[in-house]
Amino acid sequence: MQSRKLGVTLLAVATFAAACGGGGGELSLEEYFRKLDAIQNDNEARFEAQGQPVQELQALRDFYDKVTALISEVRDSLDNLDPSGEAQDAHEEMVAAFTEQLGLSRD
């Protein structure tokens, strides 16, 4: 389910950035979205490999810990990207959303 949320988030950012047009910056939009796709592709299988949560409490805790660690890695990978100006706001919102999700999961 988390990989689907990541996919939806990336699609929303891609749609927003595509509407903004092109321009200079640290990473071109094409390069930025290529890197976003790579992050998604690299991590989607890892999320799915965690399987579905089970009823046993310890198994559920283990699942939760693994998924939380993966979300943290994805957020860090996204945070390391340096998007062009037209994608900067959407990029910062996406990183903030992952950060907020991590904060909620740690509470």
Side-chain angles (χ1 to χ4, degrees):
M1 185 152 85
Q2 292 294 334
S3 63
R4 286 187 204 124
K5 287 182 182 179
L6 175 61
V8 170
T9 301
L10 293 177
L11 178 61
V13 171
T15 302
F16 172 77
C20 292
E26 291 77 7
L27 291 176
S28 68
L29 279 178
E30 181 179 335
E31 178 72 12
Y32 175 73
F33 287 111
R34 191 168 47 77
K35 289 181 183 252
L36 280 177
D37 286 342
I39 290 169
Q40 179 184 8
N41 292 338
D42 289 346
N43 290 288
E44 186 169 1
R46 293 174 67 199
F47 278 109
E48 290 174 5
Q50 302 310 310
Q52 296 298 315
V54 295
Q55 298 302 316
E56 289 183 42
L57 185 55
Q58 187 57 48
L60 184 58
R61 286 182 182 144
D62 292 344
F63 175 83
Y64 174 83
D65 291 343
K66 289 176 185 177
V67 169
T68 300
L70 287 172
I71 292 170
S72 180
E73 287 179 32
V74 170
R75 190 270 322 265
D76 292 346
S77 295
L78 294 172
D79 198 29
N80 287 328
L81 294 179
D82 193 10
S84 62
E86 59 264 8
Q88 186 67 40
D89 289 343
H91 174 78
E92 288 174 2
E93 287 178 19
M94 182 170 46
V95 171
F98 274 94
T99 301
E100 181 178 345
Q101 184 177 12
L102 286 170
L104 293 173
S105 67
R106 291 180 180 143
D107 290 340

